[in-house]
Amino acid sequence: MITIGLTGGIGSGKSTVSAGFVRRGAALIDADAIVREQQVPSSPVFGQMVERFGSGIVASDGTLDRGAVADLVFSDSEALADLNAITHPPVGREIRRRLGELAGTDRLVVLDIPLLGEGLAKGQQPRYPTSGILVVDTPIDLAVRRLVDARGFSAHDARARIAAQLPRDERLAIADWVIDNSGSVDELEIAVDAAFAWASALPHVPEPNNQ
């Protein structure tokens, strides 16, 4: 098993890149998708979140209002720490379970973890063993435009979200390979081809510890 860590700032096109890897045969472990699975109504995580943050985070259909949660934790470090304490342990267990299922195979596995870069930039040991780190890089003004056009952000909110993340130069500093996603869709496909070839030639990682 070859495992690469995939990261990139909001609006960078990281999800597009991960989808491109899947089309080329890679397995994807998407931390954000696992978070959503863990937060369905009636789940323990959902109940703990409502207990901590109140019924205002529940949408009219009974599901989690992710926008309301984001508004609560975005500028409140204590609330964010509490959210992470609720969500990170079960998500981590599920990631390790999925890695365990793939261990011993010859699969290329993409670990799409949004905060991967933040931990590595601080010198922390990676939580999951990887063969290399792939960073999707996009100029800030272009990322803002994408967030405004495709996701309905205001320009002010988009820039605030970007500013709250790891600075672009620090993210690039932890990269073993960089995809420049500032061009066309065709150019991105060529870049993903090159990144996939790089990743496929990396050494295998040790089998994960599922404890």
Side-chain angles (χ1 to χ4, degrees):
M1 179 176 68
I2 298 171
T3 304
I4 61 165
L6 174 64
T7 191
I10 186 172
S12 66
K14 182 167 56 67
S15 296
T16 303
V17 169
S18 67
F21 266 74
V22 170
R23 287 198 306 274
R24 289 162 174 82
L28 174 64
I29 298 178
D30 184 340
D32 272 346
I34 293 173
V35 169
R36 291 191 291 272
E37 292 169 8
Q38 297 281 345
Q39 292 175 339
V40 295
S42 79
S43 70
V45 168
F46 183 89
Q48 291 171 43
M49 289 179 64
V50 173
E51 182 178 355
R52 166 60 179 85
F53 299 109
S55 59
I57 66 169
V58 181
S60 58
D61 63 357
T63 62
L64 188 68
D65 184 337
R66 301 183 193 284
V69 175
D71 290 342
L72 283 172
V73 305
F74 178 62
S75 58
D76 186 334
S77 59
E78 183 177 341
L80 179 60
D82 289 345
L83 175 64
N84 289 342
I86 293 169
T87 59
H88 283 186
V91 169
R93 287 192 293 271
E94 179 60 17
I95 289 174
R96 287 189 291 273
R97 186 190 69 78
R98 296 187 188 190
L99 285 171
E101 288 184 341
L102 291 162
T105 72
D106 60 357
R107 296 295 300 276
L108 170 59
V109 181
V110 177
L111 271 177
D112 184 346
I113 301 177
L115 297 180
L116 175 67
E118 279 75 353
L120 293 176
K122 294 176 183 177
Q124 298 173 0
Q125 290 296 313
R127 188 169 299 178
Y128 314 101
T130 59
S131 306
I133 303 299
L134 173 61
V135 170
V136 184
D137 181 57
T138 304
I140 291 175
D141 287 345
L142 178 55
V144 169
R145 188 158 68 248
R146 288 173 177 167
L147 291 171
V148 171
D149 293 345
R151 295 174 59 177
F153 282 66
S154 70
H156 174 78
D157 191 25
R159 289 188 181 278
R161 297 298 175 101
I162 291 170
Q165 295 187 327
L166 188 69
R168 185 182 177 195
D169 59 341
E170 293 184 31
R171 187 180 296 110
L172 289 170
I174 57 108
D176 296 307
W177 190 274
V178 177
I179 286 180
D180 175 5
N181 188 19
S182 60
S184 66
V185 172
D186 289 342
E187 288 171 329
L188 179 59
E189 281 295 302
I190 293 170
V192 173
D193 272 336
F196 187 85
W198 158 77
S200 299
L202 290 171
H204 289 206
V205 297
E207 291 191 10
N209 182 352
N210 293 307
Q211 299 302 316

